């Protein structure tokens, strides 16, 4: 049996960031991951482009991840537009008055690489790869984790689940979750295009489909098509020429002809919100706590902020000589992260429900909503301010 202070289950970017947040704390960490060490060090491209807010960039800078991104992998997000079918009304988010970006886009693959590089060789951290948690047993102040893959069990004072929105550890802890299956599949890929995108992101609600365009450097963009699973299967089966023509048509040739770059990837569209973010001797972070619909592009931002909240509570307890795994520490994290995430999670689901409902009353309502919002400058300014706000900037800070 291996004994550590904290066992982190899941070595995705949030789990790795959490481990990095605890560097230098003197705590012993076990990072348990079902994939191999090589796949962590050399993650494959998965099609996802991650939109990062100013607060998230600040956290990534503090963790030493931002400096590891190559300049060509960071694409500035200068403006955003929300459109509804063929309606003439659109919700535009212009660049801040100081000329700074609304945010940045970085490939998920590069975030994973940077997070792995940051923790490689970290003192007090041991990776247990190729292993999954098959059982949990609480004995006093210690939790015993049974592992598959022939690995010896692990005993930890605190277990932190960062193993996706379909978290097996969350279920083993007896924590339920509100799950919303939107009945759609999200297809993501990179596309080269003829006309400039001007650094603008699009969220386009069409009839029977939702599309997003994420501006990358040059005449390139991340295309996101949310469609019925059968239609996604058809697109995945197409040759590159037919696929490029189909995507160009979806975007009504607003960027001219589009051509596939790299591989296509599909993901089921499911939102998840855990009933609790903690249990005795355990906590949930990342998608295990909150798995967002991508329409508001806050999934990874919430995950990054959540791990920072939990790490900060742990470090404060250690500094004060208190038990870092005690209920007051974990409950404080639960309350803070719930306050920060629940309103936007519910609003996101409401937006997704309204803008993917193709019945006539819903189409009229969303067109009216965009018409009103497009004329209310304070609303647009408030959204832009939220995206560009840095950590601790005001009482409205997401942290």
């Amino acid at each position: 049996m291996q004994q550590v202070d904290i066992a982190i289950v899941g070595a995705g970017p949030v789990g790795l960031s959490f481990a990095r947040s605890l560097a230098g704390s003197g705590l012993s960490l076990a990072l348990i991951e079902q994939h191999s060490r090589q796949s962590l060090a050399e993650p494959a491209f998965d099609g996802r482009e991650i939109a990062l807010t100013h607060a998230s960039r600040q956290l990534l800078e503090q963790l030493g991840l931002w400096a590891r991104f190559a300049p060509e992998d960071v694409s500035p997000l200068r403006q955003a537009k929300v459109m509804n079918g063929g309606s003439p009304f659109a919700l535009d988010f212009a660049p801040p008055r100081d000329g700074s970006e609304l945010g940045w886009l970085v490939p998920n693959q590069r975030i994973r690489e940077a997070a792995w590089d940051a923790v490689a060789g970290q003192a007090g951290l041991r990776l247990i790869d190729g292993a999954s948690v098959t059982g949990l047993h609480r004995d006093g102040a210690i939790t015993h984790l049974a592992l598959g893959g022939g690995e010896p069990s692990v005993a930890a004072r605190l277990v932190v689940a960062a193993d996706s929105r379909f978290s097996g550890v969350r279920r083993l802890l007896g924590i339920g979750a509100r799950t919303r299956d939107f009945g759609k599949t999200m297809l993501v890929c990179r596309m080269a295009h003829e006309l400039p995108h001007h650094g603008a992101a699009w969220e386009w609600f069409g009839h029977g489909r939702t599309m997003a365009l994420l501006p990358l450097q040059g005449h390139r963009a991340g295309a996101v098509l949310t469609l019925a699973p059968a239609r996604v299967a058809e697109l995945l089966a197409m040759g590159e020429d037919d696929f490029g023509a189909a995507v160009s048509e979806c975007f009504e040739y607003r960027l001219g002809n589009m051509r596939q770059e790299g591989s296509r990837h599909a993901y089921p569209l499911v939102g998840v919100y855990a009933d609790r973010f903690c249990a005795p001797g355990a906590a949930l972070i990342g998608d295990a706590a909150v798995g967002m619909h991508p329409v508001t592009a806050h999934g990874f931002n919430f995950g990054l902020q959540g791990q920072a909240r939990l790490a900060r509570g742990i470090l404060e307890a250690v500094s004060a000589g208190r038990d870092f795994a005690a209920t007051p520490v974990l409950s404080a994290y639960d309350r803070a992260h719930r306050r920060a995430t629940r309103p936007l999670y519910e609003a996101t689901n409401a937006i997704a429900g309204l803008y993917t409902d193709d019945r006539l009353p819903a189409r009229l309502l969303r067109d009216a909503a965009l018409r009103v919002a497009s004329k209310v400058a304070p609303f647009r300014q408030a959204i832009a301010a939220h995206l560009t706000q840095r950590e601790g900037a005001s009482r409205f800070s997401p942290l």
Side-chain angles (χ1 to χ4, degrees):
M1 178 182 294
Q2 309 169 68
Q3 186 150 355
V4 295
D5 291 316
I6 301 177
I8 307 166
V9 185
V14 171
L16 290 169
S17 295
F18 178 66
R20 179 64 175 172
S21 293
L22 297 177
S25 64
L27 297 171
S28 57
L29 312 175
L31 188 58
I32 304 167
E33 170 58 45
Q34 61 181 341
H35 294 104
S36 69
R37 181 184 298 264
Q38 182 177 356
S39 68
L40 294 174
E42 301 174 0
F45 176 68
D46 62 10
R48 289 179 286 189
E49 312 290 345
I50 306 300
L52 298 168
T53 63
H54 284 238
S56 291
R57 172 171 176 165
Q58 185 178 8
L59 285 172
L60 292 172
E61 289 174 341
Q62 293 169 357
L63 294 172
L65 272 63
W66 190 268
R68 299 172 190 271
F69 299 147
E72 61 268 21
D73 288 323
V74 180
S75 301
L77 177 58
R78 296 192 172 92
Q79 53 187 308
K81 182 186 292 286
V82 180
M83 299 174 285
N84 177 41
S87 170
F89 299 100
L91 187 57
D92 291 298
F93 298 98
R97 293 176 181 175
D98 63 3
S100 62
E101 294 85 356
L102 282 174
W104 299 267
L105 291 157
V106 178
N108 189 54
Q109 175 191 24
R110 301 307 177 204
I111 297 175
R112 295 176 71 97
E113 284 179 347
W116 171 255
D117 289 343
V119 304
Q122 180 173 314
L125 172 64
R126 180 186 175 189
L127 172 69
I128 304 173
D129 62 330
S132 57
V133 177
T134 59
L136 292 175
H137 171 64
R138 183 82 174 157
D139 184 8
I142 301 296
T143 299
H144 299 268
L145 297 87
L147 306 182
E151 291 287 342
S153 61
V154 173
R157 294 171 63 193
L158 176 64
V159 176
V160 176
D163 56 337
S164 87
R165 66 188 64 199
F166 307 108
S167 172
V169 173
R170 183 181 64 217
R171 177 171 288 274
L172 289 172
L173 289 168
I175 298 177
R178 294 175 55 193
T179 300
R180 180 169 179 179
D181 188 336
F182 291 91
K184 303 287 187 180
T185 297
M186 183 174 66
L187 187 154
V188 293
C189 59
R190 285 182 183 167
M191 304 295 292
H193 46 82
E194 295 177 315
L195 304 177
H197 51 54
H198 302 295
W202 299 352
E203 189 76 43
W204 193 353
F205 298 99
H207 302 322
R209 64 192 180 196
T210 301
M211 299 165 292
L213 183 131
L214 307 174
L216 306 179
Q217 293 198 29
H219 284 201
R220 299 162 57 247
V224 184
L225 305 176
T226 302
L227 303 161
R231 178 55 178 159
V232 170
E234 292 173 358
L235 290 170
L236 289 173
M238 289 181 179
E240 287 196 9
D241 290 343
D242 289 341
F243 179 75
V247 175
S248 301
E249 184 178 357
C250 279
F251 285 98
E252 297 183 357
Y253 297 93
R254 295 195 181 199
L255 293 177
N257 288 309
M258 304 179 79
R259 173 176 51 82
Q260 177 183 340
E261 277 195 358
S263 50
R264 308 167 211 167
H265 301 265
Y267 302 94
L269 200 55
V270 178
V272 174
Y273 202 91
D275 295 340
R276 293 176 286 134
F277 296 159
C278 69
L284 312 180
I285 60 175
D287 282 357
V290 183
M292 293 285 289
H293 187 291
V295 67
T296 50
H298 255 65
F300 179 68
N301 293 295
F302 276 165
L304 192 61
Q305 294 159 14
Q307 67 79 28
R309 283 189 189 93
L310 179 59
R312 186 159 52 243
I314 290 171
L315 293 173
E316 289 174 355
V318 170
S319 178
R322 302 193 306 269
D323 181 4
F324 63 83
T327 296
V329 174
L330 303 182
S331 295
Y333 158 70
D334 182 298
R335 292 191 299 272
H337 198 46
R338 194 170 296 277
R339 285 196 302 269
T341 59
R342 186 64 176 267
L344 187 54
Y345 177 83
E346 298 295 353
T348 297
N349 284 350
I351 291 169
L354 173 63
Y355 281 89
T356 56
D357 187 341
D358 290 324
R359 292 173 296 180
L360 180 60
R363 295 204 306 268
L364 295 174
L365 178 59
R366 65 199 193 202
D367 191 45
L370 275 186
R371 181 183 309 194
V372 172
S374 67
K375 297 181 180 300
V376 181
F379 172 77
R380 301 195 306 274
Q381 292 165 0
I383 296 295
H386 174 72
L387 294 172
T388 57
Q389 194 171 60
R390 293 178 68 83
E391 181 183 358
S394 78
R395 64 189 181 93
F396 294 109
S397 169
L399 288 177

